[in-house]
Amino acid sequence: LQSMFRSNWVIECRDKGRLLLEDRTKIKINPTMKLVINDTTYYLKKDFANKRVRLENSEQTIAEITYDKIIPPATVSIEKKQGDLSLHLIACLYYIFMLRE
């Protein structure tokens, strides 16, 4: 029943195994997605009127993704701060996050 209102994905990744990605947005202007990798929970968050998407866990910010505009052609940059997630995986998660609707 919950999947009727919120999107859920099960992603098979060669490096990390099975990933669970779930939309946790309560207010449409502040989208949030929850990512579970091997019992570790990460969150993709975007604030209203901010051109920055953050990937973070409970202790720290893993990466910050910035873009200049939403409609193509857009320039996207990823700044990986900490963690063991690959840059390719972070880019794929950002792509899913931006196309969630």
Side-chain angles (χ1 to χ4, degrees):
L1 184 62
Q2 185 180 7
S3 65
M4 288 176 54
F5 302 109
R6 295 189 178 188
S7 301
N8 295 317
W9 291 273
V10 177
I11 303 166
E12 295 292 331
C13 181
R14 284 188 218 146
D15 300 341
K16 299 292 182 184
R18 179 173 287 208
L19 312 173
L20 301 173
L21 187 62
E22 176 181 329
D23 189 6
R24 304 294 289 170
T25 302
K26 292 182 181 176
I27 301 172
K28 191 168 180 93
I29 58 174
N30 288 0
T32 303
M33 294 191 89
K34 177 181 171 184
L35 172 68
V36 179
I37 303 172
N38 298 331
D39 299 328
T40 305
T41 303
Y42 298 95
Y43 291 96
L44 276 162
K45 296 180 180 180
K46 182 182 178 307
D47 293 327
F48 177 68
N50 191 351
K51 294 183 179 182
R52 183 175 314 168
V53 177
R54 294 181 320 276
L55 175 64
E56 53 191 35
N57 62 10
S58 59
E59 297 96 30
Q60 60 195 358
T61 301
I62 306 300
E64 287 186 354
I65 304 139
T66 57
Y67 57 92
D68 59 349
K69 55 188 173 181
I70 293 177
I71 49 177
T75 302
V76 178
S77 63
I78 300 173
E79 179 185 351
K80 184 177 172 188
K81 297 187 179 226
Q82 298 174 356
D84 62 343
L85 298 179
S86 69
L87 194 60
H88 183 262
L89 179 60
I90 293 170
C92 291
L93 292 172
Y94 170 74
Y95 184 70
I96 293 171
F97 181 76
M98 292 308 282
L99 294 177
R100 70 192 175 282
E101 300 194 12

